[in-house]
Every structure is written in C-alpha cells, then in structure tokens.
Amino acid sequence: MTQFLEQIINGLVLGGIYALIAVGYTMVYGIIQLINFAHGEIFMFGAYFAFFCVTTLGLSFWLALPISMLLCALMGMLIDFIAYRPLRNAPRLSALITAIGMSLVLQNLARMIWTAKLRKFPVETRPSFLVANKIILPGGAQLSFLDLFIIVLAIGLMIGLNRLIYLTKIGKAMRACAQNKVAANLMGINTNHVIAVTFAIGSALGAVAGVMVGLREVVEPTMGYYKGVSAFAAAVLGGIGNVTGAMLGGVILGIAEVLGAGYISSEYRVAIAYIIMILVIIFRPSGLLGKSTATRA
Amino acid sequence: MKTRANFSTISLVALVVMSFTFMSCEQKVEGIKIAVAGPFTGNIAAFGEMIKRGAELRAKEINAAGGVNGKTLMLVFEDDAGKDKEASLVATRIATNRNILAVVGHFNSSCSLAGKPIYKRAGIVELSPGSTNVRVCEGSDWTFRNLYRDDFQGGFVAKYIKNVLTDIQKIAIFFDNDDYGRGLKDGFTNAAQKLGLDIVATEAYDRDNTDFKAQLTSIKAKNPDLVFISGLYSQAGLIASQAREVGITVQLFGADGVDSPGFLEIAGDAADGTYVSTPFVFELGGSEAQRVAKAFEAEYGVAPDTWAALTYDAVGMIVEAIEKGGENRKAIQKYLASMTTPEKGYEGITGLTYFDKNGDCIKPAYVKVVHDGKFVPAEKQMLDTEM
C-alpha cells in the first residue's frame, strides 16, 4: 500500500510535467494545426535558462523560474516569427518539416553552448525549503515538498490556463482563431498576434516543466526530446487541440508509465504507456476528449 | 524575393558540396595512422575524455622516442557518442580509409558489437579498452580486448559481496537495458544465486531516461541490503542521488561502468561509500603505472582513470604489433592473435595481457570505494582470476 501510494505520487508528478508540456503542443495545434516539434526543445531551454540564472548569474531559484518563463515565452514567439509565420499559408507538411528542423537546430545549439554533460542544480542553489522537507503520509509513504510543489503548481497553472481560455478576451480570441482563422480575422481579430500569444503561453508553461525536471532530475540537451515525445503522446491521447484533453492525457500517461514500471515490467516502462495510447487511439481515433472543433483552443 | 531565395539555396548547396569534396581528399601521409573510437561527445563523454588523453599521452611518448619504425604515430579520433548506430557509421568510415592500420575502441559494448562485423569484413583489428560484454570478441578473429569479460566481473562482484561485505544477504539489481547492462546483470545474477545470495528485485532502466524514481520505489519496497547498479556513470550518478531521495539508504555497488570521475560529480554526496569493481587501480599498479600517472597529471592537470590506463596500453599493444608484426592490417591481426601465452603477452601498466582463442583476456578485477568524494582502493582486494 505504501509502495502503491508512492508510485501514484511519482506518477502524478510525471503526469503534471507531461501535462504542462502537452498543453504547449495542443494549443499550437488547435490554432494553426501545426505539431510544433521544437516545443520539447523550448522545455529543455527552460531548464538551461534557470540553470544559467542560478549558477552563472547567482540569482535565487525563485527569481530564476519567472525569468526562465519569460525567456522561453520570447523564444517561442521568436520561433513562430522566424520559422512558422512565413509558412502560414504554405502546405502543412512544409511547416511540419520546418518544426522538425527547428527542433534539431535548437537541440544542437544547446549542445554547442552547454555541451552534452549532465548538469544538476548545485546543492546551494536548490530551494532548501523544497528539497529538504518531506511529509510522511499515513502508512509511511513519503511525499517530498518538491513533488508536492510540482503537483500543486501543475494543477494551479492548468486551472489558470483554463480560466484564461474561457474567461478572458484573449482566450476568446484564441478560441475564435481555433474555430476559423479567416472568420476571426474578418471580425477584427489580429490572428498573428493571437498566435504569438499562444506560443508565448505554451512556451512559458513548458519552461516551468523544464525547470521542475531540471531540479528533480537533471539538465541535459536531449531531455526535450525524451520528455517531449511522451508529452506529445499525451496530447494525442487526450485529443490533440483540446487543452483539457492534454491535461488529462498527461496525467494518464504519467501514471501509466510509473505503474507499468513499478508493477508490470520496468524493461517496458515507456512501451506500456504507448500501448495505452495506441489502444485509446484505436477505439477513439480523435483521442479521449477531441471530437468537435468547437472545443479547440 | 524569389531570386534571392534561389540564390541562397544554390550557394548553400554549393557550400555543402564543397565541404564534402574537401573532406574526401585524403592526404598522403608519411606516418602510421591508427584510429581511436569512443564516446567523445554525448552524455557519457567523461569516458571519452579520459580515453582520448590516455591515447594522446602514449602517442606523444612514442613519438618523442623516435616514433614507430622511425615514422610518426598519428591518432585519428572518431566519435561514436556511445551509441551503436553512430558506431556503425564510424566503423565504416574507419574501415574504408586504407591509411588507418588498426582501431583502438570502441568503448561501449554495444558499439564494439556494432563495429565488429564491419571491421571483420574490412579486415582491420578492433582492440577495445572498455567493452566487457561476453559476446564482444566471439565470432571474429579481428576483435580483441585488454580487459576482463562481464561473466568474470559479475562473478567477481558476487564473490566480493559474499566474502567481504558479509552482512549482505538481500540484493536488488538495477540495470541499464543495453548490451553491457544486461550482460553484466546476467553474469552477476548467475554467480550470486550460486553463492546463495538472494536477488530480491531486478529492475531495468532506459539510458535516455533521467527519472528513476518509479523503479527505485519498487526496489525500496523489497528492502534490499545492497543495490547493484549495472550501468554507466551518468545514470548511476542520478540513481545514487535519487535513491537517497526516495529513502534507499543501503550500500550501493557499481561495476566498471560507474568507475569514472563523472560519477562523483553527478552523484555528489550520495556517491559516498559506493563500491565499484574495475579492471585497474592506479594506486595498486607498478612503478611504470606511477610514472604514467605523474606524466598524465602534469600534462592534463587531473589524475588519469582506469580507461585512460587501458587505452594507454591498447595503443602500446598496437604499436608493438606494428613494429614486430608489420605495417599492414593483416600483420597486426596475426601478431595479436599469436599472443596466446603469458610469455608472448604484453606487459603494460594495467598488467599482463594475452589472449585466448576468442581474443578475450584474463585479468584480475579490483575494487574501489568512494571516500570523501574520491575513489580510493578498497581495503580488501581479491586478485585471483579464477572464475
């Protein structure tokens, strides 16, 4: 029982991280039908930006997190501006290939700047409040403050994102663009502006995930590929284009991966998560929640 | 706009074509070329760095002493990033370059295995200073290594635990799901069961992953007395620190893949007390080993590790084969294949190397332990080479 509870916690943390990344994939897809493969690399850069802030600049972790979010938001918008905007009316395949190219460029850029060495946040730069404390749950299972913080932060950001999409003007504009870009444009919505904001929000959330993974695990140039592919699978599982679906998909995939490794076979840890995804896709080709275009945003 | 785009495309293509042309121009050289293949980039590059320095130091010493048959020894470094796919490409590149007489490498077992058929077909010697998987030398007369195999190493670790760490009864294994990790896990499991140790958990991990908490939580639930990590230093470093985070406080034991300064850097305080088995320990080497250690430190500012030593010896062996056998690929193979008895063996800083009919060799294993953030030789060693 203790073990089961601890595994569920591991799964929720991983799921929260996947969800944070997956919404970035799904929001962009919802609006411009582009699978932004460079998103995993933005997640990785988020981790490196925070790492750079706390080590080279000597800033506190709590300052490094928002700085990293801001930088990644800018980076997301910049990528959209230079790589995707010129292809807005080109065939979808061109944009997809560009996205893959962008991903490779960014991954190798990180390797050139920081080398492939695994980097851990130095002990003195870690927020001691989070890493030193843990809660002992009834039954003896432990929950570290860091894990709790990641889960709470992920839930908070997801609720915030949901409110943003459904209650604010920019959210309304995003939903309008998702439904019909041309019509939205005719109604006076600056679609390029809305798309840029979408990239910024998705990238900032990806940065949060990156910083958390960097803190909990390690920072390295290929982390974006590994976690990014799983998060993309989560977005597909939930129904690509659907934000709530991405959150749900992330949590399901995270828990499936951890329980699969813990109780079935750790040799097939990732495979188990993908089998679940494939099964869902077979029976619901548009994913768990992805059906009508009206819910896309 | 259109013409500009076309122009830039054309110039890009031209540039690419030109760079290929330059690359394929092989220069005529007056010297002896051998390749050194290993993980010089990627997330286990700390191995590659030591391999490169070990080879460079040896080449420098050989050239200072007049070269090979009076010619300059030149090393060609080829990077496989520790990945088998890259290794096949590297192997093809080396094999098709007729100027290269032999290969020191690869390091990872999966890379040596990937290169083996290519080197065999081309007829060029592959002498690995790091691959320990049982199958590495099987089925090819062209593949050799100057360290022990994993069935020996696995058995050695099991025996060491049984004889020296006598409090240990229940063991959990956490292995890298590749050729090296799986092979070593099998060797260890067989030996441990024969010795009456309990294997309470066997968990795998994927080398690209960095989150090991799911498996570690399962391991913790089995209450082992010791966790044996069958993998490489970067993941082992993360495993050590994550193990402490999930509440595993028991003894950790790694094999030679963990024997790298990189492990200490990544694991930090969590490394303390970890045992590793290894093919060589400088502190226990002879006077020649001490001289090389000093020269290495003077040259690079850091102490050499095991892999630098084995590469240093491997380069020396190839050079001896060239001098005594002949300056062609076949002669090198014939010379190495004839080193079948201790008398015909090669006396290097890591000990005496001679081969069985596979190209494997029999050498002892050592144990190191992490003490105050440094690897030091363990108090008790078991240097017999009986399996």
Side-chain angles (χ1 to χ4, degrees), chain A residues 3 6-7 10 14 116-118 120 134 142 216-218 220 226-227 257-258 261-262 266-267 269-270, chain B residues 42-43 175 177 203-204 206 208-211 213-215 217-218 220-221 234 238 241 245-246 265-266:
Chain A
Q3 187 198 355
E6 285 182 348
Q7 294 290 30
N10 286 334
L14 194 61
K117 216 164 130 181
L118 274 66
K120 289 183 73 176
K134 53 177 75 170
Q142 343 177 331
R216 191 172 183 259
E217 298 168 21
V218 78
E220 54 142 354
Y226 199 83
K227 288 274 192 305
E257 193 180 315
V258 167
S266 48
E267 280 177 69
R269 171 173 171 157
V270 183
Chain B
N43 65 14
F175 71 99
N177 202 0
E203 297 287 342
D206 177 359
D208 292 326
N209 209 340
T210 50
D211 169 27
K213 288 195 173 154
Q215 292 96 315
T217 302
S218 303
K220 187 178 83 168
S234 7
L238 294 176
S241 53
E245 281 163 27
V246 304
E265 202 181 312
I266 294 170

Side-chain angles (χ1 to χ4, degrees), chain B residues 303-327:
Chain B
D305 74 356
T306 309
W307 312 108
L310 285 162
T311 312
Y312 182 92
D313 276 356
V315 173
M317 282 178 84
I318 297 285
V319 167
E320 187 183 283
I322 293 170
E323 283 175 340
K324 295 189 180 162
E327 278 177 33

